[in-house]
Amino acid sequence: DSITYAQYGNGVRLDDNRLILSKVGVVRLVLHRPIEGTPKTVTLTRARTKKWYASFSCEAEPQHLEPSSQVVGIDMGLTTFATLSDSREIKNPRFFRRDEADLKRVQRAKDAAKNSQNWDQNRRRKKALAHIHERIANRRNNFAHQLSRQLVDTYQVIVFEELEPQKMGVTKGRGMRKSLADAAWNQLIGMTVSKAEEAGRAVVLVDPRNTTKACSHCSQLVPKALHERVHACPHCGLVLGRDQNAAINILARGLEQLRQ
């Protein structure tokens, strides 16, 4: 399902919107964005939907952004996808949930075709399922790319919790595991790290323990049930959103980690 040309120009080269492949010929393509730097390798990959993609690996100089005075801690969640320490909230797009009805409908039709041994219908339903899954993955990746670019362009230091979504969902049931997998947390963190390295920004991952319980003003632990969305500290009187309190704690831990 894939082939890599180890040396650009030796068996593969790009000519405007055409890819010229040895022993294959000229293949027209849609160029996602202009090639930057010097192409080194080209990998052709076939997706589950039978579409082909060409990925160019290029050698390029990093382009550092102008230093920024802004820093941010980010608390990831399911009710709200992310809450920033400066009080900004990012809604949860729920990519899989949006298309779940379509998936179930096509899956039922596929099962019916399979049971009736209608192979042509079964093949078409499998292709439709693959298209829906590809659409969900594309939306999730696009969301993570755009948000990571915004974060890197704005903040000099970006602090995340070091999360393990798979372990978090082990005891939470199938519905929670599905929501955790749909949240795109890992994609966002990975893409932010990659973009930050090129831009000269810093990304810090911190221990998530007690970031929700600890008061961001007096550091006293304030236990909360999962449904409690407000942090009300009985020790110092601080009252603010539960997730923003956690984001401020995350930022403080990240800055302390950098100082050390």
Side-chain angles (χ1 to χ4, degrees), residues 3-18:
I3 181 173
T4 296
Y5 291 85
Q7 186 177 2
Y8 180 82
N10 183 13
V12 58
R13 63 185 175 89
L14 186 65
D15 181 13
D16 292 329
N17 63 339
R18 302 181 305 164

Side-chain angles (χ1 to χ4, degrees), residues 76 81 144 161-166 180-181 183-192:
M76 315 291 275
F81 177 79
E161 292 175 294
E162 193 166 12
L163 301 174
E164 296 184 78
Q166 296 305 320
L180 288 169
W185 294 341
N186 283 340
Q187 286 99 319
L188 175 64
I189 294 174
M191 291 176 185
T192 305

Side-chain angles (χ1 to χ4, degrees), residues 49-64:
T49 53
K50 307 304 180 185
K51 295 178 182 177
W52 284 90
Y53 294 89
S55 301
F56 292 78
S57 174
C58 303
E59 185 177 305
E61 292 295 322
Q63 298 177 354
H64 287 185

